[in-house]
Amino acid sequence: MSTQTVTGIIEKYNSEPKSLIAILQDIQANQRHLPKDALEEVATSLDIPLSQAYSVATFFKAFSLTPKGEYCISVCMGTACHVKGGKQVLEKLERDLSINAGETTDDLSYSLEEVHCVGCCGLAPVVTVNDDLFSKVKLRGVKRILKKYGEK
Amino acid sequence: MEQLNTEPTKTTANAQKPFRMSVLVCAGTGCVSNNSFKVMEALQDEIKKHNLEKEIQIVGTGCNGFCAEGPLLVVQPDEIFYAQLKVKDIPLLVEEHFLKGRPVEKFMYTPPEGEVAIPKMSDIDFFAHQRLIALRNRGLIDPEKIDEYIGRDGYTAIAKALTEMSPAEIVQEIVDSGLRGRGGAGFPSGVKWQLCAKQDSDTKYIVCNADEGDPGAFMDRSIIESDPHSVIEGMLIGAFGMGASEGFIYIRNEYPLALERLHVAIEQAEKYGLLGENILGTNFSFKMNVVRGAGAFVCGEETALIASIEGKLGEPRPRPPYPVESGLWGKPTNINNVETWANVPIIIDRGAKWFASIGTETSKGTKVFSLVGKINNTGLLEVPMGITLRDIIYKIGGGIPNGKKFKAIQSGGPSGGCIPEDQLDLPVDYESLSEAGSMMGSGGMVVMDEDTCMVDVARYFLTFTRDESCGKCAPCREGTWQMHEILTKITEGNGTLNDLAVLEALAEVVKDTSLCGLGQTAPNPVITTLRYFRDEYLAHIEKKECQAHVCRELNTYIIHGDVCKTDGKGCGVCRRECPDKAITGEKGKAHVIDQQLCGKCGVCYDVCNFNAITIE
Ligand SMILES: Cc1cc2nc3c(=O)[nH]c(=O)nc-3n(C[C@H](O)[C@H](O)[C@H](O)COP(=O)(O)O)c2cc1C
Ligand code: SF4
Ligand code: SF4
Ligand code: FES
Ligand code: FES
């Protein structure tokens, strides 16, 4: 995604308070988190209390207040993926990346997340990395996925 | 050109086109992840190479339903079905089939237990027993081209509604059809429309709920990806019938392809004068908005969804007032699920009587299900109401893979329950599933076999509802947390019979006292597993045993030295992966686990490529 300024994003939505969530989604997509000054700018421009911006930013799973890695690896923990071994895949990634689910590597390369279903349940277990989707993932295949996003 | 069991149309798509063959390539999320775009490019190149562009048309369609076999390709008019195609297969396919007219057997689908390939799509069990109404255009049209939807009678229903019917007649038609909500609760849609139509207000809204929160289901994604205009047309008809002039589609942000197709569809409909001011030259105007969800399951609940569209915290509020009285910005608002809306145009087109002739006494029409888990034919299907679970699992689903034994089918997602073998002859309708302790839900069906532990499944769902509880009301917030604690204790082998009693009591309290549907239904997975699989709970508690070997704390991991040495050549993978350094051995020699050090994480069992490790 091209970089847009926070101001540009807010303007795109005409500074409408009802577009708060959409604005935050665009900032999150752009900056991989919601920086403090961005939240402040949003609150001022939309003329809403900063506390409202924060409560929305912390309520929804899509938002993060700390920076996410360049590659966001999401392991599906939906029901279909659960019965087909999604948890084992997650644990393998945790071991290989030396981080727990919900964490980001120190060099900001990878974030590891759990997601509740990406709608490809027929291809369980499923892992996504940014916009790419990997289906019927086997433990042996985890290395290959990481390799693909390894050296920048 | 008709695909069996889809609804015949008055006009046929591509009727005037001179193409000798249409090649329908699935471009749904599942097949795209399996490289279908690359396959499509290769096809285009190859067809160009052979100068066949004028004879053969390539169409990228939405999800065909049989995602596990993707990328899929269907060649019309002969309905030849190809599965799991690779880019490298394309030259041979084009040469043999498209040039020489000899369909290529080795690229066709062969059933798991069968030996011969099945050339025709409608002969494949997965498709043969389906009846496509909501999904009437799936796999037949390019969802990004409005003309193809129109070519299959699209937007004739709204034309009929606007020119031949009064708003009251439209609402009555939906009442008479017997259509019930497909989003979970199964409320009669016509009754809801009547309530909304009755409201005296200059502004009314309608909403399409495409939040699809059930983890393990993808009906709504599939409908939007394969036929977005059917949803838009349904909403137009509803808006005219109820007197609304603005609509919102609330869609999960996790569905990028569906989101994109929706935007394309809306843009095209606007260009054709089907959305916006003075639609089809009448004085009916309608504006469509798309709102992206932000990843909270509770936002699928209608009052939380409304709050979220307004840009507020997605928390439910007590009802009444119901949204039809006071919804978005305090105005009357009618909310329906994607599949409910997709049924509307064809009901108006064919008439309520036709629709009501399909299904059972109380449940009319068809239902779309996503059939996943431990089943041979995973995918998306649409069947008439009243079909038995057994037919879904064995006739369409092709049974359980690897010769394993069926254990349960879970329907209704986190709000539903698990149905055991002896109830499989139940007809699928709203009432029967509820009586069995589960529910129709939005259409997720997850099949479980002997390797699935039902206590673990109950715990899984409670992990989900605990995490997704918005925390507004105490019974749901504290109750799901407490139930999850007890279930964890049982799966770790520390449960007591008293825990079981507390769990049952808690389940009733949470069910009866929670504010919204999330809490009220969260105990269902616990209640049904206790009802049908109590012996598994007892085995965990009394014998400290998990027969499915899922609850790792109750397992003992053992390396079979001979297999490790001869088959695995002492590869050492488990030794390197063991987090507790409990495994010793040298390359080429048998490895052993020190049971004192073993933390029972199960990693060695999962990573051993030679089945040298077993669980006792
Ligand atoms: C916790 C919770 C989550 C829900 N999630 C969804 C959902 O993802 N999709 C949906 O259509 N309905 C969902 N519903 C049901 C909606 O509240 C509402 O009843 C439905 O959208 C009405 O449409 P229908 O009558 O066409 O089914 C959910 C309800 C609850 C309590
Ligand atoms: S992974 Fe299997 S084969 Fe390899 S050393 Fe371990 S037990 Fe032996
Ligand atoms: S179960 Fe875990 S801790 Fe025990 S030996 Fe295997 S890898 Fe090591
Ligand atoms: S359960 Fe994993 S994609 Fe749906
Ligand atoms: S995505 Fe191709 S069949 Fe479902």
Side-chain angles (χ1 to χ4, degrees), chain B residues 146-396:
Chain B
I146 190 170
D147 288 332
E148 298 202 3
Y149 178 71
I150 292 172
R152 286 190 46 87
D153 293 351
Y155 290 109
T156 51
I158 181 64
K160 178 177 173 185
L162 286 175
T163 55
E164 296 169 28
M165 296 170 84
S166 69
E169 280 170 343
I170 292 170
V171 174
Q172 191 58 44
E173 201 70 14
I174 301 300
V175 174
D176 295 343
S177 73
L179 177 66
R180 293 171 67 174
R182 303 295 195 237
F187 191 82
S189 308
V191 175
K192 205 152 78 175
W193 285 29
Q194 268 175 337
L195 285 171
C196 185
K198 208 168 72 184
Q199 303 294 319
D200 187 20
S201 169
D202 51 351
T203 312
K204 290 181 195 173
Y205 297 107
I206 57 169
V207 176
C208 170
N209 189 344
D211 196 38
E212 191 144 74
D214 178 354
F218 57 104
M219 297 73 54
D220 297 345
R221 168 177 79 68
S222 211
I223 293 174
I224 293 176
E225 281 179 10
S226 61
D227 198 14
H229 289 287
S230 66
V231 179
I232 297 174
E233 188 179 4
M235 290 179 74
L236 275 168
I237 294 167
F240 181 62
M242 287 176 268
S245 52
E246 192 167 355
F248 293 83
I249 301 176
Y250 186 89
I251 179 170
R252 310 185 62 183
N253 209 19
E254 285 88 348
Y255 288 175
L257 190 62
L259 194 61
E260 187 190 313
R261 296 219 166 126
L262 211 46
H263 281 298
V264 172
I266 290 173
E267 211 170 277
Q268 293 180 348
E270 282 169 351
K271 223 184 249 158
Y272 276 53
L274 292 159
L275 282 174
E277 302 293 316
N278 302 105
I279 292 167
L280 295 173
T282 65
N283 52 19
F284 170 62
S285 301
F286 186 73
K287 179 169 186 261
M288 188 77 94
N289 306 279
V290 176
V291 178
R292 290 169 292 158
F297 174 63
V298 76
C299 284
E301 194 279 337
E302 51 189 27
T303 60
L305 184 147
I306 287 171
S308 172
I309 293 181
E310 291 172 347
K312 303 192 192 125
L313 277 197
E315 283 180 347
R317 60 157 177 81
R319 301 174 305 180
Y322 286 89
V324 283
E325 298 148 358
S326 173
L328 274 169
W329 297 287
K331 303 290 181 190
T333 304
N334 177 75
I335 302 184
N336 279 122
N337 165 264
V338 172
E339 189 184 334
T340 316
W341 288 118
N343 273 301
V344 169
I346 194 160
I347 292 175
I348 295 299
D349 201 26
R350 296 291 174 84
K353 229 190 188 146
W354 164 80
F355 189 80
S357 71
I358 306 160
T360 69
E361 195 49 42
T362 58
S363 308
K364 302 297 185 192
T366 54
K367 179 78 195 81
V368 180
F369 291 104
S370 78
L371 185 65
V372 297
K374 306 287 187 66
I375 182 103
N376 273 318
N377 303 338
T378 59
L380 199 83
L381 43 113
E382 181 171 357
V383 286
M385 296 275 194
I387 188 175
T388 63
L389 287 168
R390 193 179 300 282
D391 282 352
I392 293 182
I393 296 168
Y394 292 96
K395 280 199 181 148
I396 299 174

Side-chain angles (χ1 to χ4, degrees), chain A residues 118-128 131-137 144 148, chain B residues 26-39 67-68 70-72 85 221 225 257:
Chain A
V118 292
C120 276
C121 326
L123 301 172
V126 173
V127 171
T128 64
D131 292 334
D132 300 336
L133 192 145
F134 299 87
S135 54
K136 297 186 189 166
V137 176
R144 216 191 57 235
K148 193 168 167 200
Chain B
C26 179
T29 296
C31 287
V32 169
S33 82
N34 276 327
N35 259 340
S36 73
F37 281 145
K38 291 251 165 61
V39 168
C67 315
L72 303 182
L85 279 179
R221 168 177 79 68
E225 281 179 10
L257 190 62

Side-chain angles (χ1 to χ4, degrees), chain B residues 46-94:
Chain B
E46 205 59 28
I47 283 181
K48 215 186 240 159
K49 216 165 92 187
H50 293 285
N51 281 322
L52 292 168
E53 295 131 295
K54 293 218 173 68
E55 294 173 47
I56 297 177
Q57 172 197 29
I58 301 175
V59 182
T61 71
C63 172
N64 218 318
F66 210 179
C67 315
E69 293 295 322
L72 303 182
L73 193 151
V74 181
V75 185
Q76 299 282 25
D78 296 332
E79 220 193 270
I80 305 295
F81 183 86
Y82 292 113
Q84 302 195 13
L85 279 179
K86 298 197 177 56
V87 171
K88 67 171 171 40
D89 301 337
I90 300 304
L92 182 70
L93 181 77
V94 171

